[in-house]
Amino acid sequence: MRNSENYIITTRSEPLSTDDETTWSFPGAIVGFVAWLLALGIPFLIYGGNTLFFFLYTWPFFLALMPVAVVVGIALHSLLNGKLLYSAIVTIVTVVLMFGLLFLWLMG
């Protein structure tokens, strides 16, 4: 092996900078997680304390929706160009619909 270093020779005067385009990921992930928590609370508002008995056997399904909700939040926040209000509303509606469909499917 050769013992050398990589040199970058530039003729421009401005420094090289990397343009990080991942600034949308953290707010989108937070919105997705909060939407999942809100969707988790809706069955308790509708069915009350008996929801715990239903979640006793079906918790892996609802837990599996958490990373999906986070990815949905990141994707929608990215697609809506970082507009937090619009992406929060669309993410909450999407995650609640996913949660509701899973809940209805499991209830039979």
Side-chain angles (χ1 to χ4, degrees):
M1 270 190 136
R2 205 167 87 178
N3 203 5
S4 65
E5 296 180 21
N6 293 332
Y7 293 105
I8 298 174
I9 300 172
T10 61
T11 58
R12 294 177 273 166
S13 61
E14 70 258 3
L16 293 175
S17 66
T18 60
D19 191 19
D20 292 332
E21 294 290 333
T22 60
T23 57
W24 41 263
S25 63
F26 188 67
I30 296 298
V31 167
F33 183 70
V34 169
W36 180 79
L37 286 175
L38 288 174
L40 187 65
I42 290 174
F44 287 100
L45 292 174
I46 296 172
Y47 297 108
N50 292 332
T51 308
L52 287 174
F53 294 113
F54 181 72
F55 281 158
L56 183 65
Y57 297 107
T58 60
W59 66 267
F61 295 104
F62 296 103
L63 186 63
L65 277 183
M66 185 185 43
V68 175
V70 170
V71 170
V72 165
I74 292 171
L76 290 175
H77 194 68
S78 170
L79 289 173
L80 294 172
N81 295 326
K83 295 179 179 160
L84 188 60
L85 182 63
Y86 295 138
S87 65
I89 292 170
V90 173
T91 302
I92 289 171
V93 168
T94 305
V95 171
V96 166
L97 285 175
M98 285 189 315
F99 208 91
L101 287 173
L102 178 64
F103 195 83
L104 291 175
W105 178 68
L106 288 173
M107 285 191 59

